Amino acid sequence: MPGTDRDQALSELKFRDPVRARALVEALGRRTAELGRAPVSVMHVCGSHEQAIAKFGLRSTFPRGLNVIMGPGCPVCITDTPEVDEGVVLARQGVHIATYGDMVRVPGTSLSLADAQAEGAKIHVIYSAGQAVELARSTSDQVVFFATGFETTAVATAAVVLGGLPPNLSILSAHKYIPPVMEIVAEMPETKVEGFLAAGHAATITGSAVFEPFVARHGLPVVIAGFEPLDILAGLVKLVELIRDRTPQVVNMFPRCVTREGNLRAQEQLWKVFRSTGGRWRGIAHVPNGNLRLRDEFASIDARRRFTIDLASLWDCAPPALAQSCICGNIMAGLSSPTDCKLFGQECTPEKPVGACMVSSEGACKIWHQYGGHPDLGGDA
Amino acid sequence: MIRRGFVDDKIGLKYGAGGRAMRALIERVCLAGIGPAPVDGIGLAAMDDGAALRIGDRWLVITTDSHVVHPIVFPGGDIGRLAVSGTVNDLAVMGATEPLALTCAIIMEEGFARTDLERIYASIHEACHEAGATIVTGDTKVMGRGEIDGLVLNTAGVALCDRVVPDSGLKPGDLLILTGTVGDHGMAIMAARHKLALEGDLRSDVAPINGLVRAALEAGGLDVVAMKDPTRGGVSSALHEMAEKSGVGIIVEEMKVPVRNQVRAACDLLGIDPLVVANEGKALIGVRASAAEDVLAAIRRHPLGSDAAIVGRCIEQHVGAVILDTGLGRRMLAEPEGELLPRIC
Ligand code: SF4
Ligand code: SF4
């Protein structure tokens, strides 16, 4: 099939060039060997990194001595159970709930939003914060935007809030802020993580400087990387190099999008609307400053203040017994792999998720279920 | 079968989507308690594209299919063309490329427009003409409004052939030829169904490919060892079945899989792998390596095969698994579970 559209499209994708990829894979192998010890564990904190690693089969090219662990990087996975419950209670009160796709299927204590929908609740899947506004304009009923995601989506929420909301729209914020959770992982006594690969998207907003205090405090290097396969490989080479040289610092390997200061206007909007407070991340821990809540100036559009949310009303439904065996928390903290979970691929599948990690396309269990995780795929010469 | 899936108490849509769930349902429920396979033949338990019964020194191949599609008319075809092509192609990939006769039963919802019905019959006849097939018997039923959705077609086909080509004949070292671009049908349907304003025109590839398969068989003879029709569940499902039933592993080179730019763009947008999207005018053909180039050349000479490519090879290791070589690394190819849904976030 010489000269097809396909070949041409691929040659244009310079961040997917197999020849350059091979060179980087070799460099990664050399750096890891130069460490002179094994294994070395690094963590990435972004579901999109795991997606790309899985999709392009990069894990099969990583050197044996290098463990690349997925951390708490999927916004769907780390939305805490009571936060899902709040959405469910509101939905059962008859308000319309608008939220991002996968959130609908994430199990709460006893029900997911999809379960509530099956009972007749009005749940709407939206693709952007702006669609929540459109939805509210199209009805006279109360609409609640169950807003989830990290700083990237929080900025979008902030922008619509600052643009002014229709009177029947309020926000249930479950937004999270990434940098503080890295501290939690670094401080876990059992952690093996020696360096972090930080997410290019988020850093586009926060800037690379946001990681400098972390590096100073914990002596662990942070490399910011984009999402193309070559970005990830180059980021890992740099990260292992920093570990080898014991030179903990922040290195921005995604300069085509990320600056030191980040997007100041977006940050201004973010902090105008939100303040950070402590809160739980699902399955992981209480994360000081890890939650983004609406500031007091926006009390009138805060769903938590507009409605009474009586979580006890959910207790008449029994929580699923299986959920107690779910080890999502350990997986996101980098302590376990999806295949360590005895429900993985058996009682828990993308069709019938028990835990949040099996729901989202950025969830570790879902990705491993789909792409096979850590297989040794050689031996076919 | 190697894999035994979980089957729910209530049958959901995923059980009709051609993936792992559907196979689990068939194994658990439809195959439970059936008698032995026909002596010296291919029966239901083989879960191949059709059945084959020995008649003297020849084989009678039989297949049947029901067709429901939304919308009934879509870019590149309609349910009539789909029904004929589906049946002709199921026969063809069993090695029976000269359909003897087809049946066609139609169930309509009260209120269905006569002009629509005429259009569907016109394309049924047109597709039969292309395939060199005739419809010899049929049935018509009308159900009350709301009792079925629009129109359902059921077709069956029979054909005689001298050699049956199963989907389980692969050995390590064999190569896999894909007769053209993947994902055209499924993405055309998805775009039409969800009214997605996607750039470029997505058109279904729905067509009878018995002529193309005949060309491949003529060129390859006994070296054509396995064939399958990658419809629902796409190339991925078909390869998983072939790997499992043949007892081999399969490595697919992603860079070699032909995909039209429009299809790739739509798939990227929706977060769908083109390899799990349905096709209605393609075949996967397993051949001994020595014959691969000849068979490929014969396929490419056929008007429906100009994009054909060798996309994979069989290995001894990883029996039952399909490994995707992305050019950057390797991973397992996902086996579709249920309905294809556009990614939402
Ligand atoms: S929100 Fe963006 S940065 Fe954060 S996990 Fe998702 S893709 Fe990565
Ligand atoms: S496999 Fe399911 S139950 Fe186990 S950790 Fe993952 S999401 Fe939780």
Side-chain angles (χ1 to χ4, degrees), chain B residues 133-178:
Chain B
T134 1
I135 301 218
V136 291
T137 182
D139 177 50
T140 308
K141 294 276 185 312
V142 179
M143 294 181 73
R145 198 180 284 274
E147 288 173 17
I148 64 158
D149 192 6
L151 170 131
V152 178
L153 283 181
N154 175 279
T155 44
V158 289
L160 286 165
C161 63
D162 296 323
R163 183 170 80 101
V164 175
V165 183
D167 55 9
S168 58
L170 297 171
K171 292 225 162 65
D174 291 347
L175 298 181
L176 284 151
I177 298 173
L178 187 55

Side-chain angles (χ1 to χ4, degrees), chain A residues 46-48 73 75 150 152 199 201-202 362:
Chain A
C46 174
S48 296
F150 299 119
T152 33
H201 293 167
E362 293 181 357

Side-chain angles (χ1 to χ4, degrees), chain A residues 45-49 70 72-76 149-153 178 198-203 227 362:
Chain A
V45 275
C46 174
S48 296
H49 273 154
M70 169 163 176
C74 168
V76 175
F150 299 119
E151 37 274 39
T152 33
T153 44
I178 280 266
H201 293 167
F227 301 95
E362 293 181 357

Side-chain angles (χ1 to χ4, degrees), chain B residues 182-243:
Chain B
V182 300
D184 300 80
H185 176 74
M187 293 317 287
I189 295 286
M190 200 173 290
R193 184 183 303 163
H194 299 293
K195 303 203 171 51
L196 302 176
L198 293 167
E199 274 177 58
D201 57 332
L202 295 167
R203 285 178 68 79
S204 170
D205 59 344
V206 57
I209 52 162
N210 53 326
L212 176 148
V213 173
R214 193 182 310 135
L217 287 170
E218 278 164 11
L222 292 177
D223 288 333
V224 174
V225 290
M227 295 198 282
K228 196 144 191 77
D229 194 10
T231 54
R232 285 166 309 161
V235 167
S236 171
S237 241
L239 288 174
H240 277 96
E241 276 195 60
M242 293 173 96

Side-chain angles (χ1 to χ4, degrees), chain A residues 268-299:
Chain A
E268 191 190 290
Q269 291 189 326
L270 180 74
W271 297 118
K272 201 181 251 176
V273 173
F274 294 104
R275 70 194 156 83
S276 63
T277 74
R280 277 196 67 81
W281 287 37
R282 186 180 189 123
I284 302 176
H286 179 91
V287 180
N289 296 319
N291 277 7
L292 295 174
R293 293 289 184 253
L294 289 168
R295 287 185 174 279
D296 289 340
E297 299 90 288
F298 298 96

Side-chain angles (χ1 to χ4, degrees), chain B residues 308-337:
Chain B
I310 295 173
V311 298
R313 66 199 160 87
C314 302
I315 56 171
E316 250 169 70
Q317 300 83 356
H318 307 290
V319 169
V322 184
I323 294 166
L324 189 75
D325 190 321
T326 66
L328 301 168
R330 286 179 174 187
R331 64 164 162 94
M332 309 303 280
L333 178 60
E335 185 177 13
E337 285 276 337

